[in-house]
Amino acid sequence: MEQTALRPKPMPGQEQPAEPAPGSARRLHAARRRGRRLRALLFGLFAGTVLVLSGVGLGAAGATVIGMGKLADLQRQAPPSHPSAPVTSAATPGPSAAPAGATLGVEAVDAEKTGAQVIAVHEPGPGHTAGLVRGDVLLQFGPSRIDTAADLARAVSHARPGEQVTLTVRHHDGGYQQVTVVPGIVT
């Protein structure tokens, strides 16, 4: 209410404190406000947690579905391994020991047109050292033309570990590059 000349303002320090009545509406109002704030905070935390967890789940599921579709096709095309064949160790000397093979340290699938598309580069590894990145398409491995991921696997298995090989690579942006890679040893 506005102060007028008929009702002068009290002097500072002489105000009489108003005593709140028992069960005051002020306290109830403050309690309701605190309750609303607490509910809003808890709901926000719950909603944020659900969104983060669903985002992580969707991202992981999407990566699995996208990446595993082509890998599953490759596994179906690969010849089945025979569980009845004797297992030999490369460290065991003798005629039954399998010779060590070569590896590039990359995972590849068939590219849309021609070549083998790199979907993962193992770090550390020969492919990482040569500068290969995810999305590169390998077109040639030494003298061998690469039309599919199986061609790449075949060419790498015939390579000698430790000897330099020239790769022809098509990058994601469309540029071509020749890189030198030294295949490693599969242990």
Side-chain angles (χ1 to χ4, degrees):
M1 184 167 170
E2 189 175 283
Q3 298 288 331
T4 63
L6 298 175
R7 293 188 188 178
K9 291 183 184 177
M11 294 290 289
Q14 293 181 358
E15 298 103 9
Q16 302 223 350
E19 292 185 24
S24 170
R26 282 185 135 186
R27 285 186 165 182
L28 271 176
H29 180 68
R32 275 189 252 144
R33 193 172 355 157
R34 270 185 258 128
R36 281 194 302 253
R37 286 181 183 167
L38 182 62
R39 270 187 302 220
L41 176 69
L42 290 176
F43 179 74
L45 287 173
F46 175 74
T49 303
V50 168
L51 289 174
V52 166
L53 291 178
S54 66
V56 169
L58 289 175
T64 301
V65 168
I66 291 168
M68 293 304 292
K70 290 185 177 182
L71 288 177
D73 290 341
L74 282 178
Q75 288 176 347
R76 277 188 234 116
Q77 293 173 358
S81 61
H82 299 288
S84 61
V87 178
T88 59
S89 170
T92 309
S96 64
T103 182
L104 279 183
V106 300
E107 295 178 25
V109 296
D110 292 343
E112 288 182 17
K113 295 179 183 176
T114 183
Q117 184 174 10
V118 176
I119 60 169
V121 179
H122 296 240
E123 191 176 327
H128 178 70
T129 305
L132 296 177
V133 294
R134 184 174 186 223
D136 285 348
V137 178
L138 306 179
L139 301 171
Q140 191 161 353
F141 183 85
S144 304
R145 180 180 166 170
I146 306 299
D147 291 326
T148 64
D151 292 341
L152 176 65
R154 192 175 310 108
V156 171
S157 68
H158 292 305
R160 288 187 171 173
E163 291 188 9
Q164 289 186 351
V165 178
T166 303
L167 285 175
T168 303
V169 180
R170 182 177 65 227
H171 295 292
H172 183 67
D173 61 2
Y176 289 85
Q177 182 181 12
Q178 287 191 337
V179 296
T180 303
V181 65
V182 180
I185 298 173
V186 176
T187 56

